[in-house]
C-alpha cells in the first residue's frame, strides 16, 4: 500500500509527517525546515508558497495571503470582521462565500489551501523518493461540516486522496498516547495561531476517547500580534498623528515585527521594535521611524483581555467531561502560542500542575495525523478513535416538541432506537424532522434534515409502531432510519459530520438552552397537555364509534366532552383548560364504559388515557 502522510494544515504554519519504522516522523521541506508557513503569494504572475512567500510579504502586502484557514468553508457574513482588518483583499463571492482578490484574479480559500498542501506533499515526495498521494489532514475540533468539507476539497484540489479529516487535539493525544501504557485522563490545551481548542481525553490501552471539547475559534497567537500592532499604532498616532494601520505596507511590517517581538518575549524579558522609514510626516514629508521598547510585563498587560478568554473553555471542557482539575493526569500543550510564559502560567494555575512539554507543540498534531494515517493504511494496529457529539440529537414530535434520542457529549460511534407512533387516524405517512440542540422545542434547535416515511396502511392513531434509529458512525456521520414494524416499510437519511459544529454554534446553542429553560418548559408542558387531550379525544371517539347496542343517552355526555375537547385543541385554549377537559373526558369515558358494560357491551380494549407524545406534526413516541 502506498505511503500515507499526516498533515497539520495550520492557520500560521503547516507540518507534514509520516510513519517511519513504526515511529511518526516530521518531514523537512525543501528549505530544510520542519514547519512551513501557511502563506501563499502572487507576484508578477509568479506563485510563491511557504517561507519565500512570508519573506516578501512586507513588499507585497496585497498579494500575500496568510491565515486563509480563518476563511475556509465559511460564509462572507461569518468572516466580515476578519476580512476588514486583513492587509489583502477579501471579498464576498457570488455564492455568499469568501474570495481573495490578487492581481485582478479571484481565489477561493480551498484553492489557496490546496497550494499549501501541494507544496508540503511535493517536498515530502522528494524527500521520500516516492510520490505521496494519500493523507490524513487535521482541523480544529470545532470546525463545522462545511469547514471540514472545504478542507477535504482543498486536499482533492491538491491531488490528494484524503483518507480522513481528524481533530487537532485528538491527533495530539494520538501522538502522545503512543508511548503511554496505563489509563490516563489528558487535557489537550491547543493555542495556535488562530484557534484555541481544549479537549479532555481518556487515553489508555491503545484507545483514545474524547470526553469533551471546547474552545474559541477566534483566539490565537495572531490576536496577540494584532494587540501589539494596535498598541504600536496608537502610540505612533499619538506622537505623529499618522495611523499606520491605514497603510497596507506599514501594517504588514507592523504585524511582522509584532510577531517577532512576541516570540522573543517568550525567552527574554525585554525587546525593541524597530521600524525605520515606516511613514512620512504629512506636512514636512520627512521620514518617520518607529522605535519602541517592550517589556514582557507590558506585553502581558496588552494581551490580558486575550488571556482572560482562556479560562472559560478550560472550565467548560472540564464541566462537560464531568471532571475536576484533580482528575486530570496530564496536560499537553499544543500550538506555538503556548510558548508564551503567561499562557503556561495560567494553564498551570488553573489545572494545578505543570503542563507536559515533552512533545514538541509545533509538531505534535502532524505526528498524530501520521499515526492515524498509519492506522488507516494498516501500519499501526490496535488504536480506536472515539469522539463525542457536541449537542443532543433528536426528532420533532407533535406540538413542535424536541424529543432527544442521543444526549450531548455521548461517545460516538453510537446507535439509539426509539419507537414512535402516529397522532391521527389513518395517517399514511410521517415526516421525520432531524434536529440538533439543547432547547426543548424543535423551533429553538438546528434543523439537520427531514425525510418522509410514506405508504403506511391506514391504522387508528397510536397503532403504528415506528422505530426511529439514530446511528452516528466513527466519522461523525449520522444515519437516521424510520421503520414501521408491522409492514417493514422504511425510509432513511444520512447527515454528514454532526459531531462537528462550529464552537460558536455549540456555545450559542447551549447558552440559549439555559437562557430559555423556563420558557421552553412552559411551551413543552403546554404542547404535552394539548397532545394528551387530542389523543384522548381520538381514542374516546373510537370507543364510542365502535360501541354497538349502546343507547344515545349514554353516548351523549362523552360526545359532548369530545366536541369540547376538539374545540379547545383547535382554539389553543389555556393549559389549565386543556387539563380540566382531559380530566372531564376521562371521567365521561369511564362512566360510558361502565354503562356500556351494563348494556351488554364487552369491555373495550382501548382505555382512554393517552400516555404517548407524538413524532413531528403527526407523530409521537410510543410507550
Ligand atoms: P501554530 O498554529 O501552532 O503554528 O502556532 C503559531 C503561533 O504560535 C503563531 O502566532 C506564532 O507567532 C506563535 N509562536 C510560535 N513560537 C512562539 C514562541 N516561541 N513564543 C510565542 N509565540 C510563538
Amino acid at each position: 500500500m502506498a505511503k500515507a502522510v499526516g498533515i497539520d494544515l495550520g492557520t500560521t504554519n503547516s507540518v507534514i509527517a509520516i510513519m517511519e519504522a513504526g515511529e511518526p516522523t516530521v518531514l523537512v521541506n525543501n528549505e530544510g525546515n520542519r514547519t512551513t508557513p501557511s502563506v501563499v503569494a502572487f507576484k508578477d504572475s509568479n506563485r510563491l508558497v511557504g517561507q519565500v512567500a512570508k519573506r516578501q510579504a512586507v513588499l507585497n502586502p496585497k498579494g500575500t495571503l496568510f491565515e486563509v484557514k480563518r476563511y475556509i468553508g465559511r460564509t462572507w457574513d461569518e468572516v466580515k470582521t476578519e476580512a476588514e482588518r486583513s492587509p489583502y483583499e477579501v471579498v464576498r463571492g457570488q455564492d455568499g462565500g469568501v474570495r481573495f482578490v490578487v492581481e485582478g484574479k479571484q481565489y477561493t480559500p480551498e484553492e489557496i489551501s490546496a497550494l499549501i498542501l501541494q507544496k508540503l506533499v511535493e517536498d515530502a515526495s522528494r524527500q521520500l523518493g516516492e510520490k505521496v498521494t494519500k493523507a490524513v489532514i487535521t482541523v480544529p475540533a470545532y470546525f463545522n461540516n462545511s469547514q471540514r468539507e472545504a478542507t477535504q476539497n482543498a486536499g482533492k484540489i491538491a491531488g490528494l486522496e484524503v483518507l480522513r479529516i481528524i481533530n487537532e487535539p485528538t491527533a495530539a493525544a494520538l501522538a502522545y498516547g503512543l508511548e503511554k501504557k496505563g489509563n490516563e485522563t489528558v487535557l489537550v490545551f491547543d493555542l495556535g495561531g488562530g484557534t484555541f481548542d481544549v479537549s479532555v481525553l481518556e487515553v489508555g490501552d491503545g484507545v483514545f476517547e474524547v470526553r469533551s471539547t471546547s474552545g474559541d475559534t477566534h483566539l490565537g497567537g495572531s490576536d496577540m500580534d494584532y494587540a501589539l500592532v494596535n498598541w504600536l499604532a496608537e502610540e505612533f498616532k499619538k506622537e505623529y498623528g499618522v495611523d499606520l494601520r491605514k497603510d497596507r505596507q506599514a501594517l504588514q511590517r507592523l504585524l511582522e515585527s509584532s510577531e517577532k517581538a512576541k516570540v522573543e518575549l517568550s525567552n527574554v524579558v525585554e525587546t525593541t521594535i524597530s521600524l525605520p522609514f515606516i511613514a512620512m510626516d504629512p506636512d514636512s514629508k520627512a521620514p518617520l521611524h518607529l522605535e519602541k521598547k517592550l517589556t514582557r510585563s507590558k506585553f502581558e498587560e496588552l494581551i490580558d483581555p486575550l488571556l482572560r478568554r482562556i479560562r472559560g473553555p478550560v472550565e467548560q471542557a472540564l464541566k462537560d467531561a464531568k471532571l475536576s482539575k484533580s482528575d486530570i493526569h496530564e496536560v499537553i500543550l499544543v500550538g506555538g502560542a503556548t510558548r508564551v510564559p503567561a499562557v503556561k502560567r495560567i494553564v498551570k494555575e488553573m489545572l494545578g500542575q505543570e503542563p507536559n512539554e515533552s512533545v514538541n507543540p509545533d509538531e505534535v498534531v502532524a505526528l498524530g495525523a501520521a499515526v492515524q494515517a498509519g492506522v488507516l493504511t494498516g501500519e499501526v494496529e490496535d488504536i480506536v478513535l472515539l469522539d463525542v457529539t457536541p449537542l443532543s440529537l433528536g426528532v420533532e414530535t407533535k406540538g413542535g416538541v424536541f424529543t432527544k434520542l442521543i444526549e450531548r457529549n455521548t461517545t460516538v460511534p453510537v446507535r439509539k432506537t426509539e419507537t414512535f407512533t402516529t397522532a391521527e387516524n389513518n395517517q399514511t405517512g410521517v415526516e421525520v424532522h432531524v434536529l440538533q440542540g439543547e432547547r426543548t422545542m424543535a423551533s429553538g434547535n438546528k434543523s439537520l434534515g427531514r425525510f418522509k416515511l410514506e405508504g403506511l396502511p391506514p391504522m387508528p392513531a397510536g397503532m403504528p409502531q415506528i422505530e426511529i434509529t439514530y446511528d452516528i458512525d466513527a466519522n461523525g456521520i449520522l444515519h437516521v432510519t424510520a421503520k414501521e414494524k408491522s409492514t417493514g416499510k422504511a425510509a432513511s437519511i444520512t447527515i454528514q459530520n454532526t459531531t462537528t459544529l462550529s464552537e460558536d454554534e455549540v456555545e450559542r446553542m447551549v447558552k440559549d438552552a439555559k437562557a430559555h429553560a423556563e420558557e421552553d418548559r412552559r411551551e413543552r408542558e403546554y404542547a404535552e397537555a394539548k397532545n394528551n387531550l387530542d389523543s384522548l379525544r381520538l381514542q374516546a371517539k373510537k370507543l364510542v364509534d365502535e360501541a354497538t347496542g349502546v343507547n344515545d343517552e349514554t353516548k351523549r355526555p362523552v360526545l359532548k366532552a369530545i366536541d369540547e375537547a376538539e374545540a379547545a385543541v383547535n382554539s389553543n385554549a389555556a393549559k389549565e383548560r386543556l387539563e380540566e377537559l382531559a380530566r372531564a373526558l376521562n371521567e365521561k369515558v369511564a362512566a360510558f364504559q361502565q354503562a356500556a358494560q351494563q348494556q351488554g357491551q364487552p369491555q373495550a380494549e382501548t382505555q382512554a388515557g393517552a400516555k404517548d407524545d407524538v413524532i413531528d406534526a403527526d407523530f409521537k413516541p410510543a410507550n
Side-chain angles (χ1 to χ4, degrees):
M1 193 168 199
K3 286 248 179 195
V5 292
I7 300 176
D8 169 9
L9 181 62
T11 309
T12 42
N13 295 301
S14 295
V15 183
I16 182 165
I18 196 162
M19 289 303 288
E20 267 182 357
E23 285 293 323
T25 314
V26 168
L27 296 165
V28 296
N29 62 19
N30 283 359
E31 293 79 53
N33 296 322
R34 298 166 75 83
T35 63
T36 302
S38 306
V39 184
V40 173
F42 298 90
K43 197 160 188 236
D44 307 328
S45 313
N46 283 327
R47 208 169 60 194
L48 307 167
V49 184
Q51 193 59 46
V52 282
K54 190 174 173 179
R55 210 175 291 138
Q56 56 79 67
V58 171
L59 300 170
N60 181 23
K62 279 187 134 182
T64 307
L65 309 178
F66 61 95
E67 289 188 11
V68 297
K69 189 171 172 179
R70 284 200 182 267
Y71 300 106
I72 199 158
R74 307 186 74 188
T75 63
W76 168 255
D77 290 339
E78 287 172 326
V79 297
K80 243 195 293 194
T81 321
E82 271 124 307
E84 270 158 18
R85 67 178 188 186
S86 166
Y88 52 87
E89 195 179 348
V90 190
V91 299
R92 185 182 193 279
Q94 276 182 344
D95 56 358
V98 175
R99 297 289 184 280
F100 308 121
V101 187
V102 187
E103 295 177 342
K105 237 188 120 180
Q106 290 206 355
Y107 299 91
T108 61
E110 288 92 322
E111 285 174 289
I112 301 303
S113 301
L115 292 174
I116 298 164
L117 290 171
Q118 233 163 19
K119 148 95 181 151
L120 293 168
V121 167
E122 274 168 18
D123 288 7
S125 299
R126 187 170 307 180
Q127 202 202 326
L128 291 167
E130 68 180 292
K131 201 167 160 48
V132 172
T133 54
K134 293 170 197 278
V136 167
I137 305 177
T138 60
V139 294
Y142 281 99
F143 253 30
N144 65 22
N145 189 39
S146 95
Q147 288 166 298
R148 275 163 207 261
E149 261 176 27
T151 304
Q152 194 156 20
N153 287 338
K156 282 188 202 153
I157 298 169
L160 286 170
E161 181 189 337
V162 181
L163 298 175
R164 179 98 36 113
I165 297 286
I166 66 168
N167 292 336
E168 286 159 11
T170 305
L174 205 48
Y176 173 83
L178 264 190
E179 305 92 56
K180 285 279 158 193
K181 289 175 189 77
N183 286 330
E184 286 204 334
T185 304
V186 179
L187 186 138
V188 182
F189 182 99
D190 179 351
L191 190 64
T195 53
F196 174 42
D197 284 304
V198 188
S199 301
V200 177
L201 305 109
E202 295 288 345
V203 183
D205 300 328
V207 177
F208 297 76
E209 182 179 353
V210 182
R211 292 278 302 268
S212 67
T213 58
S214 187
D216 188 332
T217 42
H218 293 86
L219 186 62
S222 67
D223 297 291
M224 299 180 186
D225 303 343
Y226 278 109
L228 262 185
V229 166
N230 280 330
W231 176 70
L232 289 169
E234 287 298 331
E235 293 283 302
F236 194 83
K237 199 169 150 197
K238 255 190 262 166
E239 203 165 333
Y240 302 106
V242 177
D243 191 345
L244 295 174
R245 286 163 296 196
K246 295 213 166 111
D247 172 352
R248 280 176 194 276
Q249 195 159 322
L251 174 61
Q252 181 65 36
R253 285 180 70 191
L254 268 181
L255 258 173
E256 228 180 42
S257 50
S258 293
E259 189 196 358
K260 193 162 154 272
K262 170 192 71 178
V263 170
E264 280 168 6
L265 288 173
S266 292
N267 293 311
V268 297
V269 292
E270 188 178 298
T271 186
T272 303
I273 296 144
S274 178
L275 290 165
F277 304 100
I278 188 84
M280 227 179 349
D281 189 297
D283 304 321
S284 70
K285 306 287 178 215
L288 299 172
H289 315 293
L290 185 151
E291 178 98 5
K292 201 87 194 160
K293 263 201 168 57
L294 178 66
T295 62
R296 188 187 284 172
S297 58
K298 178 67 190 172
F299 170 65
E300 288 178 2
E301 183 191 317
L302 291 171
I303 61 165
D304 188 58
L306 301 170
L307 295 173
R308 283 170 193 271
R309 285 163 55 194
I310 285 174
R311 291 175 187 274
V314 173
E315 280 162 6
Q316 189 64 45
L318 285 174
K319 200 171 151 215
D320 286 347
K322 299 191 176 64
L323 295 173
S324 69
K325 65 178 182 185
S326 57
D327 298 315
I328 304 292
H329 296 107
E330 208 100 42
V331 180
I332 305 176
L333 295 185
V334 179
T338 58
R339 291 212 170 93
V340 172
V343 172
K344 273 193 239 182
R345 205 167 57 228
I346 292 173
V347 174
K348 188 180 159 194
E349 178 219 319
M350 281 199 81
L351 296 158
Q353 62 180 290
E354 289 285 349
N356 190 318
E357 295 177 79
S358 61
V359 199
N360 185 333
D362 301 323
E363 299 179 354
V364 64
V365 169
L367 294 172
V371 172
Q372 178 67 38
V375 172
L376 294 172
T377 51
E379 260 180 272
V380 182
E381 285 171 3
D382 302 333
I383 292 178
V384 184
L385 213 56
L386 301 170
D387 253 316
V388 295
T389 53
L391 289 167
S392 303
L393 290 156
V395 71
E396 179 172 349
T397 53
K398 189 160 167 79
V401 170
F402 177 57
T403 301
K404 285 183 190 172
L405 270 92
I406 297 174
E407 291 282 340
R408 129 172 241 253
N409 276 332
T410 301
T411 304
V412 298
V414 61
R415 188 187 166 93
K416 287 261 172 74
T417 300
E418 288 211 14
T419 306
F420 295 82
T421 189
T422 52
E424 303 286 334
N425 287 329
N426 305 324
Q427 214 174 293
T428 54
V430 290
E431 188 181 54
V432 180
H433 185 194
V434 183
L435 296 133
Q436 180 171 42
E438 303 311 310
R439 300 282 297 271
T440 57
M441 300 307 290
S443 58
N445 292 320
K446 185 183 163 102
S447 171
L448 295 178
R450 296 168 187 266
F451 67 97
K452 286 200 163 96
L453 172 63
E454 283 169 326
L456 305 180
M459 280 190 258
M463 270 283 265
Q465 295 276 292
I466 300 159
E467 266 183 3
I468 304 278
T469 303
Y470 275 44
D471 189 347
I472 308 179
D473 68 18
N475 283 323
I477 294 169
L478 169 67
H479 310 271
V480 181
T481 316
K483 186 174 164 194
E484 201 287 307
K485 275 211 239 163
S486 70
T487 56
K489 278 232 178 280
S492 66
I493 190 173
T494 297
I495 296 155
Q496 305 278 332
N497 283 320
T498 48
T499 51
T500 56
L501 277 171
S502 80
E503 181 261 342
D504 288 350
E505 224 169 342
V506 171
E507 217 173 88
R508 182 185 56 73
M509 290 168 93
V510 172
K511 264 197 206 139
D512 254 24
K514 280 189 192 142
H516 295 92
E518 181 55 27
E519 177 193 322
D520 282 354
R521 186 185 58 78
R522 276 201 303 273
E523 259 189 81
R524 187 182 181 113
E525 280 177 4
Y526 181 77
E528 278 168 3
K530 197 164 139 182
N531 291 347
N532 183 42
L533 180 63
D534 202 28
S535 129
L536 206 56
R537 170 186 72 83
L538 282 165
Q539 293 184 51
K541 181 110 184 23
K542 183 168 171 265
L543 198 68
V544 177
D545 286 350
E546 286 171 3
T548 45
V550 179
N551 60 41
D552 287 352
E553 195 70 18
T554 312
K555 285 182 183 172
R556 199 168 299 126
V558 193
L559 288 173
K560 186 164 171 267
I562 288 172
D563 285 346
E564 276 174 356
E566 191 171 8
V569 167
N570 289 340
S571 66
N572 292 323
K575 179 169 157 264
E576 293 68 29
R577 172 81 181 139
L578 297 170
E579 284 166 349
E580 184 192 310
L581 287 171
R583 272 193 303 275
L585 183 55
N586 256 329
E587 277 167 25
K588 298 285 184 302
V589 166
F592 173 80
Q593 281 178 313
Q594 217 172 12
Q597 214 174 10
Q598 279 163 7
Q599 287 170 34
Q601 269 286 306
Q603 182 72 44
E605 249 175 57
T606 332
Q607 271 287 339
K611 292 154 225 105
D612 310 339
D613 296 319
V614 188
I615 282 193
D616 87 1
D618 35 39
F619 196 29
K620 64 180 185 175
N623 288 330

